Structures are given as structure tokens and as C-alpha cells.
Amino acid sequence: MQIQDLTLFVRVADCGSITAAAIELDISPATASAALKRLEKQLGTSLFIRSTRSLRLTDTGERYLIHCRRALSDLALGQQAVNDVREKISGVVSLAVPSDVGRHVLLPWLDEFMGQYPELKLRLHIGDTLSDFYHDKVDVALRLGTPKDSSLVAFEIAKVQRLLCASPTYIAKYGEITAIDQLSDHNCLFFMLEERTHDLWRFSKNGREFKIRVTGNRTCNDAEVARRWAVAGKGVVYKSSLDLEGDITCGRLVPMMTDYEGESADLYLVCPGREHVTPVILLLRDMLREKCKQRLADK
């Protein structure tokens, strides 16, 4: 049921004429008449008694009009509430995000978010080193993994797992990895988490946990570089599915060991304390949850 049809019904009832209501709403009488018929068909009843000279409400139409007026009034109040929130969303928000997901996933989402709240200013920090909220003057950070500091306020954004991937050229040259013990024969690409090399890789299968210390010839403190190395065929990468989804979809990377479950890399939006949870932060949280849900569902 369309809001425009309800609006038209109310205006026709007020004007006593389809033509007059159509002129007021800047649509053709034929379009107005079709909209009313559509509404009546959806309701399964007639709302007006029509004659060549007059138009009047049926008893059902009279009762329905009361509810329509109330519904349209509530919608108008809701729209005003949204507008009020938008007007209040202003000032500067400082957001820290991981390198790869920040550059390749979040930027268009943040553009859309800023378009909705034009009075808002964004200071974006991109990098894989955990931010010092006070030293770096960061309001909120998006991070992979459950925060270890219990004093922080953490909102879960999405449940994410790491995927083991390599490029088609690497697989053609060195073969596909299908089991844990084969990892030791391959060049693994590393990035750093909390200033430590992420070289202990964990998997699970049929309720059994596996972990292996892998080796490789390339390490970087920027996780995006590890992904780029993998796309270039330099080795095997083990990263968040959010980071790799675009390359997998385009065929630049191929998932391996798909019968194993990858290590958790859940995404959290983190604030230094409850007093820092502002309306902007809550709006960011809701936007990120919805966008991540859509992206992961489309895989």
C-alpha cells in the first residue's frame, strides 16, 4: 500500500472531487482515478459512491478516512523527528579504521553517511595499529577482534571469519592447499596486529581446533599490502572475508581449505567510555551493521 495513494484518498475526500484533488497534487485525473481503484482493490471494498454529478464516501470510506488521517499525521511526525536528528548531527567525529577494509569497503559507506548528515565533519585515521584514543584524539575505532580492554565500550558490528586465499596464478604454480599440514610447504604473507606478526594461524573442522605457525618471506605493518601481494601471486594470505570479498568475486583470489572454518575476525566499533557514546556514534554503528550485513549476505 503506497503512501501516495493514502494521501490522494484523503485529498479526494476533502475536495469531494478526483479532478480537484489531482490538480492540487499535480497529477492527472486519470492517474488519480487509477490510484483510488488500486487502493480499493487492495482493501477489497469501495471507498466512494460515484455518480455523474457527485462523489461521496461510503460508510467504510468514512471509517477508513479516520485511520488514514492518523497514519499520515504519524508519518509526518516521524519525518520531522528524522529531520530534527539530522539537524542535530554536526561537529567533528574522529574515526580510526583498519587499512584494507577502510580503503576498499568503508570509504563509499562513509561518503553516503556524510551525505545524510551534511553538517558533520569527519577525521579519518587509516591503519592497523590500535589507536590511543586520548593521544591520537580518536573518538571511535573500528577494529577486528574482541577488545581486550574491559573499560572500553564495544559494539559488535558483524561476525566475520578469516579466509585462506591465493591467486589463480599461485595455485597453478604451487598447487591448492586442502589440509593444514600443507601450509608449511607454502609462502605465507604476513601483516602485523598490535605490533606482532600474525603468523600463528588457527582453523577448526568438525569441532576440532587446529593451529600452525606458518612461515613466509614478506611481512608488512599494513594489512592491505598483504592482500595486494596475494593478488600479485606472491604467496598465501589469511585475512578477514570483508577484506577479501571483492577480490574473490572478481576472481583475483581463490578461497582454499573451504571445508575448514577460519579464525574469528569479528568487527567491533569501540569507544573509550560510555560518556563518548554520542548520537553520531550510534548512527555510525547502525549504518555499519546494516552495510556489513548486506555485504556478507551478497557473498
Side-chain angles (χ1 to χ4, degrees):
M1 195 166 293
Q2 301 179 26
I3 295 174
Q4 296 93 325
D5 292 353
L6 300 181
T7 302
L8 173 66
F9 166 62
V10 172
R11 294 314 304 141
V12 171
D14 289 344
C15 296
S17 164
I18 293 176
T19 300
I23 293 172
E24 186 176 306
L25 296 173
D26 196 23
I27 59 176
S28 70
T31 299
S33 181
L36 278 180
K37 289 179 181 178
R38 179 170 60 241
L39 181 60
E40 289 178 325
K41 183 178 180 180
Q42 289 174 327
L43 293 170
T45 187
S46 296
L47 297 173
F48 291 98
I49 298 173
R50 299 167 174 84
S51 69
T52 55
R53 296 184 178 181
S54 66
L55 184 75
R56 63 184 178 84
L57 287 164
T58 63
D59 290 342
T60 302
E62 290 279 7
R63 290 193 294 271
Y64 190 61
L65 180 62
I66 295 171
H67 295 287
C68 277
R69 290 193 194 280
R70 185 180 303 148
L72 291 173
S73 176
D74 287 344
L75 286 171
L77 289 173
Q79 182 63 54
Q80 186 58 51
V82 170
N83 293 338
D84 289 344
V85 169
R86 286 179 176 172
E87 290 174 3
K88 292 175 184 176
I89 301 302
S90 61
V92 180
V93 61
S94 181
L95 170 66
V97 299
S99 60
D100 213 349
V101 72
R103 291 185 179 97
H104 298 288
V105 178
L106 294 181
L107 285 182
W109 297 355
L110 292 173
D111 287 342
E112 183 180 331
F113 186 77
M114 296 287 288
Q116 292 176 336
Y117 305 104
E119 298 302 315
L120 186 66
K121 296 180 181 179
L122 176 68
R123 291 178 63 242
L124 188 63
H125 303 252
I126 294 183
D128 295 313
T129 302
L130 291 178
S131 300
D132 182 317
F133 286 100
Y134 299 101
H135 180 268
D136 298 334
K137 297 181 180 179
V138 169
D139 300 315
V140 61
L142 191 67
R143 284 294 177 249
L144 295 170
T146 307
K148 296 180 177 63
D149 187 344
S150 60
S151 68
L152 301 175
V153 177
F155 299 105
E156 184 179 83
I157 299 300
K159 293 231 176 254
V160 186
Q161 292 178 331
R162 298 191 195 280
L163 297 177
L164 184 73
C165 291
S167 70
T169 54
Y170 181 91
I171 293 173
K173 187 173 182 179
Y174 298 103
E176 182 180 354
I177 302 171
T178 58
I180 292 288
D181 55 5
Q182 296 173 3
L183 276 167
S184 58
D185 299 326
H186 289 263
N187 189 48
C188 297
L189 305 168
F190 303 134
F191 54 92
M192 302 184 73
L193 290 173
E194 301 181 42
E195 301 182 353
R196 293 165 56 182
T197 301
H198 182 239
D199 59 357
L200 183 64
W201 293 1
R202 295 178 171 87
F203 302 85
S204 62
K205 184 179 181 181
N206 299 326
R208 184 182 174 189
E209 302 290 328
F210 300 89
K211 61 181 179 180
I212 180 172
R213 185 79 64 180
V214 293
T215 59
N217 64 3
R218 297 178 186 233
T219 304
C220 186
N221 65 347
D222 188 324
E224 181 190 6
V225 175
R227 181 186 58 80
R228 287 180 177 236
W229 282 336
V231 170
K234 305 303 181 184
V236 177
V237 71
Y238 188 43
K239 293 187 86 257
S240 159
S241 59
L242 271 176
D243 294 345
L244 303 180
E245 188 270 339
D247 293 313
I248 293 170
T249 299
C250 295
R252 293 187 291 265
L253 290 176
V254 178
M256 300 180 293
M257 285 176 47
T258 53
D259 54 339
Y260 287 77
E261 188 172 298
E263 183 181 2
S264 171
D266 296 343
L267 198 63
Y268 285 85
L269 192 66
V270 185
C271 293
R274 287 286 174 193
E275 66 276 14
H276 296 272
V277 181
T278 64
V280 174
I281 303 304
L282 295 177
L283 288 168
L284 267 173
R285 177 201 63 186
D286 294 344
M287 179 273 288
L288 291 169
R289 281 177 174 171
E290 183 59 30
K291 292 291 189 182
C292 285
K293 180 180 178 181
Q294 293 172 5
R295 184 177 177 89
L296 292 171
D298 291 341
K299 285 199 310 176

